[in-house]
Amino acid sequence: MFAVPDNTIAIAERPALQHPVRAALAFAADRELWRNLLRYDPDQRFAALIARDGQQEVWLMSWLPGQTTFSHDHGHATGAFTVVTGDLVERVTRRAPGGRVLTEHHELTAGQSRVFGPGYTHEVRNEGPDPAVSVHVYRDGTRTVRPSGLG
Ligand SMILES: [Fe+2]
């Protein structure tokens, strides 16, 4: 047994070590940070920047029924998103060994999250009858959105 050196305890939390889902959940829970930013736009999916620092960007998005993204990836960014209210459906597309394209569907309700990394291709849609709100964290890059060649 040995004494723990002072400089190894009570080190301030390093945001870069916080999993992006934890970051998304923390921002989702702190509604005072984004309550005044929230809008619903019938013409296009709404997005507003909540926070940006050297580590990450955090975006608020709202989804009216039927609003959707196109199939896209986020370049070199990693991150996560969390559903705050409503329901969203995520369609993930990836190429299997051998070249076959595989598609997965994930039905997400409030409190559920998804993680993404470089090359992750997805499309997100509000297929429910009610508006939905989500919080998105992007790291190692900004909120890059690139159309996907996978479809
Ligand atoms: Fe995305």
Side-chain angles (χ1 to χ4, degrees), residues 116-147:
F116 57 84
Y120 186 84
T121 300
H122 70 164
E123 179 180 339
V124 181
R125 170 187 293 268
N126 181 0
E127 295 182 352
D130 301 313
V133 174
S134 55
V135 168
H136 302 243
V137 173
Y138 302 90
R139 291 188 179 158
D140 305 318
T142 59
R143 186 184 155 226
T144 301
V145 177
R146 303 188 313 185

PDB file of all heavy atoms in Angstrom, residues 116-147:
ATOM      1  N   PHE A 116     -21.817   8.178 -32.787  1.00  0.00           N
ATOM      2  CA  PHE A 116     -21.314   8.044 -34.152  1.00  0.00           C
ATOM      3  C   PHE A 116     -19.821   8.376 -34.198  1.00  0.00           C
ATOM      4  O   PHE A 116     -19.286   9.038 -33.307  1.00  0.00           O
ATOM      5  CB  PHE A 116     -22.103   8.919 -35.130  1.00  0.00           C
ATOM      6  CG  PHE A 116     -22.114  10.382 -34.791  1.00  0.00           C
ATOM      7  CD1 PHE A 116     -21.067  11.202 -35.193  1.00  0.00           C
ATOM      8  CD2 PHE A 116     -23.153  10.933 -34.075  1.00  0.00           C
ATOM      9  CE1 PHE A 116     -21.073  12.554 -34.894  1.00  0.00           C
ATOM     10  CE2 PHE A 116     -23.159  12.280 -33.754  1.00  0.00           C
ATOM     11  CZ  PHE A 116     -22.119  13.096 -34.165  1.00  0.00           C
ATOM     12  N   GLY A 117     -19.198   7.905 -35.250  1.00  0.00           N
ATOM     13  CA  GLY A 117     -17.779   8.182 -35.479  1.00  0.00           C
ATOM     14  C   GLY A 117     -17.544   8.402 -36.960  1.00  0.00           C
ATOM     15  O   GLY A 117     -18.487   8.398 -37.759  1.00  0.00           O
ATOM     16  N   PRO A 118     -16.278   8.593 -37.329  1.00  0.00           N
ATOM     17  CA  PRO A 118     -15.967   8.817 -38.739  1.00  0.00           C
ATOM     18  C   PRO A 118     -16.526   7.691 -39.613  1.00  0.00           C
ATOM     19  O   PRO A 118     -16.411   6.515 -39.273  1.00  0.00           O
ATOM     20  CB  PRO A 118     -14.436   8.817 -38.761  1.00  0.00           C
ATOM     21  CG  PRO A 118     -14.048   9.232 -37.381  1.00  0.00           C
ATOM     22  CD  PRO A 118     -15.093   8.623 -36.479  1.00  0.00           C
ATOM     23  N   GLY A 119     -17.135   8.055 -40.710  1.00  0.00           N
ATOM     24  CA  GLY A 119     -17.673   7.079 -41.638  1.00  0.00           C
ATOM     25  C   GLY A 119     -19.064   6.569 -41.300  1.00  0.00           C
ATOM     26  O   GLY A 119     -19.634   5.783 -42.054  1.00  0.00           O
ATOM     27  N   TYR A 120     -19.595   7.002 -40.177  1.00  0.00           N
ATOM     28  CA  TYR A 120     -20.931   6.559 -39.758  1.00  0.00           C
ATOM     29  C   TYR A 120     -21.974   7.273 -40.620  1.00  0.00           C
ATOM     30  O   TYR A 120     -22.041   8.499 -40.650  1.00  0.00           O
ATOM     31  CB  TYR A 120     -21.118   6.922 -38.290  1.00  0.00           C
ATOM     32  CG  TYR A 120     -22.375   6.431 -37.620  1.00  0.00           C
ATOM     33  CD1 TYR A 120     -22.451   5.152 -37.091  1.00  0.00           C
ATOM     34  CD2 TYR A 120     -23.474   7.270 -37.481  1.00  0.00           C
ATOM     35  CE1 TYR A 120     -23.587   4.711 -36.439  1.00  0.00           C
ATOM     36  CE2 TYR A 120     -24.622   6.838 -36.830  1.00  0.00           C
ATOM     37  CZ  TYR A 120     -24.670   5.562 -36.317  1.00  0.00           C
ATOM     38  OH  TYR A 120     -25.789   5.141 -35.665  1.00  0.00           O
ATOM     39  N   THR A 121     -22.782   6.483 -41.324  1.00  0.00           N
ATOM     40  CA  THR A 121     -23.764   7.045 -42.252  1.00  0.00           C
ATOM     41  C   THR A 121     -25.163   6.808 -41.701  1.00  0.00           C
ATOM     42  O   THR A 121     -25.522   5.672 -41.375  1.00  0.00           O
ATOM     43  CB  THR A 121     -23.633   6.383 -43.632  1.00  0.00           C
ATOM     44  OG1 THR A 121     -22.317   6.629 -44.128  1.00  0.00           O
ATOM     45  CG2 THR A 121     -24.656   6.957 -44.595  1.00  0.00           C
ATOM     46  N   HIS A 122     -25.931   7.878 -41.601  1.00  0.00           N
ATOM     47  CA  HIS A 122     -27.280   7.712 -41.084  1.00  0.00           C
ATOM     48  C   HIS A 122     -28.233   8.770 -41.634  1.00  0.00           C
ATOM     49  O   HIS A 122     -27.826   9.738 -42.265  1.00  0.00           O
ATOM     50  CB  HIS A 122     -27.283   7.696 -39.547  1.00  0.00           C
ATOM     51  CG  HIS A 122     -26.972   9.012 -38.894  1.00  0.00           C
ATOM     52  ND1 HIS A 122     -27.230   9.270 -37.561  1.00  0.00           N
ATOM     53  CD2 HIS A 122     -26.430  10.151 -39.377  1.00  0.00           C
ATOM     54  CE1 HIS A 122     -26.857  10.495 -37.267  1.00  0.00           C
ATOM     55  NE2 HIS A 122     -26.367  11.057 -38.340  1.00  0.00           N
ATOM     56  N   GLU A 123     -29.483   8.511 -41.348  1.00  0.00           N
ATOM     57  CA  GLU A 123     -30.562   9.423 -41.694  1.00  0.00           C
ATOM     58  C   GLU A 123     -31.489   9.411 -40.485  1.00  0.00           C
ATOM     59  O   GLU A 123     -31.707   8.360 -39.891  1.00  0.00           O
ATOM     60  CB  GLU A 123     -31.293   8.873 -42.932  1.00  0.00           C
ATOM     61  CG  GLU A 123     -32.457   9.678 -43.410  1.00  0.00           C
ATOM     62  CD  GLU A 123     -33.102   9.026 -44.653  1.00  0.00           C
ATOM     63  OE1 GLU A 123     -32.418   8.219 -45.340  1.00  0.00           O
ATOM     64  OE2 GLU A 123     -34.268   9.310 -44.902  1.00  0.00           O
ATOM     65  N   VAL A 124     -31.967  10.569 -40.090  1.00  0.00           N
ATOM     66  CA  VAL A 124     -32.818  10.658 -38.903  1.00  0.00           C
ATOM     67  C   VAL A 124     -34.133  11.311 -39.309  1.00  0.00           C
ATOM     68  O   VAL A 124     -34.144  12.282 -40.077  1.00  0.00           O
ATOM     69  CB  VAL A 124     -32.124  11.469 -37.787  1.00  0.00           C
ATOM     70  CG1 VAL A 124     -33.000  11.547 -36.542  1.00  0.00           C
ATOM     71  CG2 VAL A 124     -30.767  10.852 -37.445  1.00  0.00           C
ATOM     72  N   ARG A 125     -35.228  10.769 -38.783  1.00  0.00           N
ATOM     73  CA  ARG A 125     -36.550  11.262 -39.184  1.00  0.00           C
ATOM     74  C   ARG A 125     -37.498  11.245 -37.984  1.00  0.00           C
ATOM     75  O   ARG A 125     -37.412  10.354 -37.135  1.00  0.00           O
ATOM     76  CB  ARG A 125     -37.104  10.353 -40.288  1.00  0.00           C
ATOM     77  CG  ARG A 125     -38.564  10.604 -40.639  1.00  0.00           C
ATOM     78  CD  ARG A 125     -39.077   9.561 -41.616  1.00  0.00           C
ATOM     79  NE  ARG A 125     -38.432   9.660 -42.915  1.00  0.00           N
ATOM     80  CZ  ARG A 125     -38.918  10.395 -43.927  1.00  0.00           C
ATOM     81  NH1 ARG A 125     -40.052  11.037 -43.790  1.00  0.00           N
ATOM     82  NH2 ARG A 125     -38.282  10.429 -45.064  1.00  0.00           N
ATOM     83  N   ASN A 126     -38.385  12.207 -37.954  1.00  0.00           N
ATOM     84  CA  ASN A 126     -39.493  12.181 -36.996  1.00  0.00           C
ATOM     85  C   ASN A 126     -40.688  11.550 -37.697  1.00  0.00           C
ATOM     86  O   ASN A 126     -41.336  12.181 -38.521  1.00  0.00           O
ATOM     87  CB  ASN A 126     -39.837  13.595 -36.514  1.00  0.00           C
ATOM     88  CG  ASN A 126     -40.977  13.589 -35.503  1.00  0.00           C
ATOM     89  OD1 ASN A 126     -41.518  12.526 -35.168  1.00  0.00           O
ATOM     90  ND2 ASN A 126     -41.343  14.759 -35.025  1.00  0.00           N
ATOM     91  N   GLU A 127     -40.964  10.306 -37.356  1.00  0.00           N
ATOM     92  CA  GLU A 127     -42.089   9.594 -37.957  1.00  0.00           C
ATOM     93  C   GLU A 127     -43.302   9.613 -37.049  1.00  0.00           C
ATOM     94  O   GLU A 127     -44.324   9.013 -37.369  1.00  0.00           O
ATOM     95  CB  GLU A 127     -41.692   8.147 -38.276  1.00  0.00           C
ATOM     96  CG  GLU A 127     -40.611   8.056 -39.336  1.00  0.00           C
ATOM     97  CD  GLU A 127     -40.247   6.629 -39.707  1.00  0.00           C
ATOM     98  OE1 GLU A 127     -40.719   5.687 -39.029  1.00  0.00           O
ATOM     99  OE2 GLU A 127     -39.492   6.463 -40.684  1.00  0.00           O
ATOM    100  N   GLY A 128     -43.189  10.280 -35.904  1.00  0.00           N
ATOM    101  CA  GLY A 128     -44.283  10.302 -34.949  1.00  0.00           C
ATOM    102  C   GLY A 128     -45.259  11.435 -35.211  1.00  0.00           C
ATOM    103  O   GLY A 128     -45.048  12.278 -36.091  1.00  0.00           O
ATOM    104  N   PRO A 129     -46.314  11.494 -34.414  1.00  0.00           N
ATOM    105  CA  PRO A 129     -47.329  12.541 -34.579  1.00  0.00           C
ATOM    106  C   PRO A 129     -46.986  13.836 -33.850  1.00  0.00           C
ATOM    107  O   PRO A 129     -47.660  14.855 -34.058  1.00  0.00           O
ATOM    108  CB  PRO A 129     -48.582  11.895 -33.979  1.00  0.00           C
ATOM    109  CG  PRO A 129     -48.036  10.997 -32.912  1.00  0.00           C
ATOM    110  CD  PRO A 129     -46.732  10.475 -33.443  1.00  0.00           C
ATOM    111  N   ASP A 130     -45.965  13.800 -33.017  1.00  0.00           N
ATOM    112  CA  ASP A 130     -45.641  14.958 -32.177  1.00  0.00           C
ATOM    113  C   ASP A 130     -44.265  15.516 -32.548  1.00  0.00           C
ATOM    114  O   ASP A 130     -43.405  14.800 -33.046  1.00  0.00           O
ATOM    115  CB  ASP A 130     -45.623  14.551 -30.700  1.00  0.00           C
ATOM    116  CG  ASP A 130     -46.949  13.983 -30.249  1.00  0.00           C
ATOM    117  OD1 ASP A 130     -47.988  14.606 -30.557  1.00  0.00           O
ATOM    118  OD2 ASP A 130     -46.936  12.915 -29.613  1.00  0.00           O
ATOM    119  N   PRO A 131     -44.028  16.800 -32.239  1.00  0.00           N
ATOM    120  CA  PRO A 131     -42.688  17.352 -32.454  1.00  0.00           C
ATOM    121  C   PRO A 131     -41.656  16.610 -31.588  1.00  0.00           C
ATOM    122  O   PRO A 131     -41.998  16.052 -30.538  1.00  0.00           O
ATOM    123  CB  PRO A 131     -42.822  18.815 -32.002  1.00  0.00           C
ATOM    124  CG  PRO A 131     -44.279  19.105 -32.080  1.00  0.00           C
ATOM    125  CD  PRO A 131     -44.977  17.811 -31.759  1.00  0.00           C
ATOM    126  N   ALA A 132     -40.431  16.640 -32.047  1.00  0.00           N
ATOM    127  CA  ALA A 132     -39.338  16.034 -31.293  1.00  0.00           C
ATOM    128  C   ALA A 132     -38.209  17.059 -31.146  1.00  0.00           C
ATOM    129  O   ALA A 132     -38.072  17.967 -31.968  1.00  0.00           O
ATOM    130  CB  ALA A 132     -38.811  14.779 -31.992  1.00  0.00           C
ATOM    131  N   VAL A 133     -37.448  16.894 -30.071  1.00  0.00           N
ATOM    132  CA  VAL A 133     -36.292  17.749 -29.802  1.00  0.00           C
ATOM    133  C   VAL A 133     -35.111  16.833 -29.486  1.00  0.00           C
ATOM    134  O   VAL A 133     -35.274  15.810 -28.801  1.00  0.00           O
ATOM    135  CB  VAL A 133     -36.570  18.700 -28.612  1.00  0.00           C
ATOM    136  CG1 VAL A 133     -35.319  19.478 -28.229  1.00  0.00           C
ATOM    137  CG2 VAL A 133     -37.711  19.650 -28.946  1.00  0.00           C
ATOM    138  N   SER A 134     -33.941  17.200 -29.981  1.00  0.00           N
ATOM    139  CA  SER A 134     -32.740  16.402 -29.713  1.00  0.00           C
ATOM    140  C   SER A 134     -31.548  17.316 -29.504  1.00  0.00           C
ATOM    141  O   SER A 134     -31.537  18.457 -29.951  1.00  0.00           O
ATOM    142  CB  SER A 134     -32.475  15.418 -30.862  1.00  0.00           C
ATOM    143  OG  SER A 134     -32.395  16.105 -32.099  1.00  0.00           O
ATOM    144  N   VAL A 135     -30.548  16.779 -28.810  1.00  0.00           N
ATOM    145  CA  VAL A 135     -29.287  17.490 -28.558  1.00  0.00           C
ATOM    146  C   VAL A 135     -28.157  16.653 -29.164  1.00  0.00           C
ATOM    147  O   VAL A 135     -28.097  15.438 -28.949  1.00  0.00           O
ATOM    148  CB  VAL A 135     -29.056  17.702 -27.053  1.00  0.00           C
ATOM    149  CG1 VAL A 135     -27.630  18.177 -26.779  1.00  0.00           C
ATOM    150  CG2 VAL A 135     -30.061  18.699 -26.497  1.00  0.00           C
ATOM    151  N   HIS A 136     -27.267  17.319 -29.923  1.00  0.00           N
ATOM    152  CA  HIS A 136     -26.222  16.645 -30.687  1.00  0.00           C
ATOM    153  C   HIS A 136     -24.853  17.192 -30.304  1.00  0.00           C
ATOM    154  O   HIS A 136     -24.663  18.405 -30.261  1.00  0.00           O
ATOM    155  CB  HIS A 136     -26.451  16.854 -32.183  1.00  0.00           C
ATOM    156  CG  HIS A 136     -27.786  16.360 -32.649  1.00  0.00           C
ATOM    157  ND1 HIS A 136     -27.928  15.345 -33.565  1.00  0.00           N
ATOM    158  CD2 HIS A 136     -29.042  16.757 -32.301  1.00  0.00           C
ATOM    159  CE1 HIS A 136     -29.218  15.122 -33.756  1.00  0.00           C
ATOM    160  NE2 HIS A 136     -29.917  15.966 -33.009  1.00  0.00           N
ATOM    161  N   VAL A 137     -23.921  16.296 -30.048  1.00  0.00           N
ATOM    162  CA  VAL A 137     -22.549  16.665 -29.687  1.00  0.00           C
ATOM    163  C   VAL A 137     -21.624  16.227 -30.815  1.00  0.00           C
ATOM    164  O   VAL A 137     -21.690  15.076 -31.267  1.00  0.00           O
ATOM    165  CB  VAL A 137     -22.136  15.982 -28.364  1.00  0.00           C
ATOM    166  CG1 VAL A 137     -20.659  16.210 -28.070  1.00  0.00           C
ATOM    167  CG2 VAL A 137     -22.996  16.498 -27.218  1.00  0.00           C
ATOM    168  N   TYR A 138     -20.774  17.133 -31.266  1.00  0.00           N
ATOM    169  CA  TYR A 138     -19.795  16.846 -32.329  1.00  0.00           C
ATOM    170  C   TYR A 138     -18.404  17.132 -31.791  1.00  0.00           C
ATOM    171  O   TYR A 138     -18.155  18.236 -31.283  1.00  0.00           O
ATOM    172  CB  TYR A 138     -20.045  17.711 -33.565  1.00  0.00           C
ATOM    173  CG  TYR A 138     -21.430  17.524 -34.145  1.00  0.00           C
ATOM    174  CD1 TYR A 138     -22.492  18.313 -33.709  1.00  0.00           C
ATOM    175  CD2 TYR A 138     -21.665  16.561 -35.112  1.00  0.00           C
ATOM    176  CE1 TYR A 138     -23.762  18.134 -34.228  1.00  0.00           C
ATOM    177  CE2 TYR A 138     -22.926  16.371 -35.639  1.00  0.00           C
ATOM    178  CZ  TYR A 138     -23.969  17.163 -35.192  1.00  0.00           C
ATOM    179  OH  TYR A 138     -25.231  16.985 -35.703  1.00  0.00           O
ATOM    180  N   ARG A 139     -17.511  16.148 -31.939  1.00  0.00           N
ATOM    181  CA  ARG A 139     -16.122  16.320 -31.495  1.00  0.00           C
ATOM    182  C   ARG A 139     -15.161  16.000 -32.634  1.00  0.00           C
ATOM    183  O   ARG A 139     -15.531  15.316 -33.582  1.00  0.00           O
ATOM    184  CB  ARG A 139     -15.820  15.385 -30.322  1.00  0.00           C
ATOM    185  CG  ARG A 139     -16.559  15.799 -29.080  1.00  0.00           C
ATOM    186  CD  ARG A 139     -16.103  14.985 -27.915  1.00  0.00           C
ATOM    187  NE  ARG A 139     -16.798  15.405 -26.715  1.00  0.00           N
ATOM    188  CZ  ARG A 139     -16.945  14.658 -25.649  1.00  0.00           C
ATOM    189  NH1 ARG A 139     -16.414  13.456 -25.629  1.00  0.00           N
ATOM    190  NH2 ARG A 139     -17.592  15.114 -24.598  1.00  0.00           N
ATOM    191  N   ASP A 140     -13.943  16.455 -32.471  1.00  0.00           N
ATOM    192  CA  ASP A 140     -12.918  16.231 -33.500  1.00  0.00           C
ATOM    193  C   ASP A 140     -13.357  16.799 -34.829  1.00  0.00           C
ATOM    194  O   ASP A 140     -13.052  16.263 -35.887  1.00  0.00           O
ATOM    195  CB  ASP A 140     -12.601  14.730 -33.647  1.00  0.00           C
ATOM    196  CG  ASP A 140     -12.199  14.114 -32.327  1.00  0.00           C
ATOM    197  OD1 ASP A 140     -11.436  14.775 -31.590  1.00  0.00           O
ATOM    198  OD2 ASP A 140     -12.653  13.005 -32.027  1.00  0.00           O
ATOM    199  N   GLY A 141     -14.097  17.844 -34.762  1.00  0.00           N
ATOM    200  CA  GLY A 141     -14.583  18.484 -35.972  1.00  0.00           C
ATOM    201  C   GLY A 141     -15.825  19.262 -35.631  1.00  0.00           C
ATOM    202  O   GLY A 141     -16.326  19.194 -34.517  1.00  0.00           O
ATOM    203  N   THR A 142     -16.312  19.971 -36.601  1.00  0.00           N
ATOM    204  CA  THR A 142     -17.529  20.744 -36.366  1.00  0.00           C
ATOM    205  C   THR A 142     -18.726  19.931 -36.844  1.00  0.00           C
ATOM    206  O   THR A 142     -18.600  18.760 -37.169  1.00  0.00           O
ATOM    207  CB  THR A 142     -17.460  22.069 -37.132  1.00  0.00           C
ATOM    208  OG1 THR A 142     -17.307  21.780 -38.516  1.00  0.00           O
ATOM    209  CG2 THR A 142     -16.293  22.923 -36.644  1.00  0.00           C
ATOM    210  N   ARG A 143     -19.875  20.582 -36.893  1.00  0.00           N
ATOM    211  CA  ARG A 143     -21.083  19.898 -37.337  1.00  0.00           C
ATOM    212  C   ARG A 143     -21.049  19.729 -38.860  1.00  0.00           C
ATOM    213  O   ARG A 143     -21.867  20.258 -39.578  1.00  0.00           O
ATOM    214  CB  ARG A 143     -22.320  20.678 -36.901  1.00  0.00           C
ATOM    215  CG  ARG A 143     -23.616  19.970 -37.198  1.00  0.00           C
ATOM    216  CD  ARG A 143     -24.811  20.841 -36.831  1.00  0.00           C
ATOM    217  NE  ARG A 143     -25.960  20.445 -37.612  1.00  0.00           N
ATOM    218  CZ  ARG A 143     -26.760  21.291 -38.227  1.00  0.00           C
ATOM    219  NH1 ARG A 143     -26.576  22.578 -38.125  1.00  0.00           N
ATOM    220  NH2 ARG A 143     -27.781  20.850 -38.939  1.00  0.00           N
ATOM    221  N   THR A 144     -20.071  18.987 -39.312  1.00  0.00           N
ATOM    222  CA  THR A 144     -19.970  18.686 -40.730  1.00  0.00           C
ATOM    223  C   THR A 144     -21.088  17.724 -41.122  1.00  0.00           C
ATOM    224  O   THR A 144     -21.328  16.737 -40.439  1.00  0.00           O
ATOM    225  CB  THR A 144     -18.611  18.022 -41.026  1.00  0.00           C
ATOM    226  OG1 THR A 144     -17.587  18.919 -40.621  1.00  0.00           O
ATOM    227  CG2 THR A 144     -18.462  17.690 -42.498  1.00  0.00           C
ATOM    228  N   VAL A 145     -21.784  18.022 -42.194  1.00  0.00           N
ATOM    229  CA  VAL A 145     -22.822  17.125 -42.701  1.00  0.00           C
ATOM    230  C   VAL A 145     -22.549  16.923 -44.178  1.00  0.00           C
ATOM    231  O   VAL A 145     -22.614  17.865 -44.958  1.00  0.00           O
ATOM    232  CB  VAL A 145     -24.231  17.728 -42.497  1.00  0.00           C
ATOM    233  CG1 VAL A 145     -25.283  16.808 -43.087  1.00  0.00           C
ATOM    234  CG2 VAL A 145     -24.496  17.969 -41.011  1.00  0.00           C
ATOM    235  N   ARG A 146     -22.205  15.683 -44.522  1.00  0.00           N
ATOM    236  CA  ARG A 146     -21.881  15.381 -45.924  1.00  0.00           C
ATOM    237  C   ARG A 146     -22.870  14.352 -46.464  1.00  0.00           C
ATOM    238  O   ARG A 146     -23.135  13.335 -45.800  1.00  0.00           O
ATOM    239  CB  ARG A 146     -20.479  14.769 -46.025  1.00  0.00           C
ATOM    240  CG  ARG A 146     -19.371  15.616 -45.453  1.00  0.00           C
ATOM    241  CD  ARG A 146     -18.022  15.056 -45.740  1.00  0.00           C
ATOM    242  NE  ARG A 146     -17.931  13.607 -45.459  1.00  0.00           N
ATOM    243  CZ  ARG A 146     -16.806  12.911 -45.554  1.00  0.00           C
ATOM    244  NH1 ARG A 146     -15.702  13.499 -45.942  1.00  0.00           N
ATOM    245  NH2 ARG A 146     -16.788  11.619 -45.291  1.00  0.00           N
ATOM    246  N   PRO A 147     -23.408  14.599 -47.641  1.00  0.00           N
ATOM    247  CA  PRO A 147     -24.281  13.578 -48.231  1.00  0.00           C
ATOM    248  C   PRO A 147     -23.529  12.269 -48.365  1.00  0.00           C
ATOM    249  O   PRO A 147     -22.340  12.245 -48.686  1.00  0.00           O
ATOM    250  CB  PRO A 147     -24.627  14.159 -49.610  1.00  0.00           C
ATOM    251  CG  PRO A 147     -24.369  15.626 -49.485  1.00  0.00           C
ATOM    252  CD  PRO A 147     -23.255  15.773 -48.492  1.00  0.00           C
TER     253      PRO A 147
END
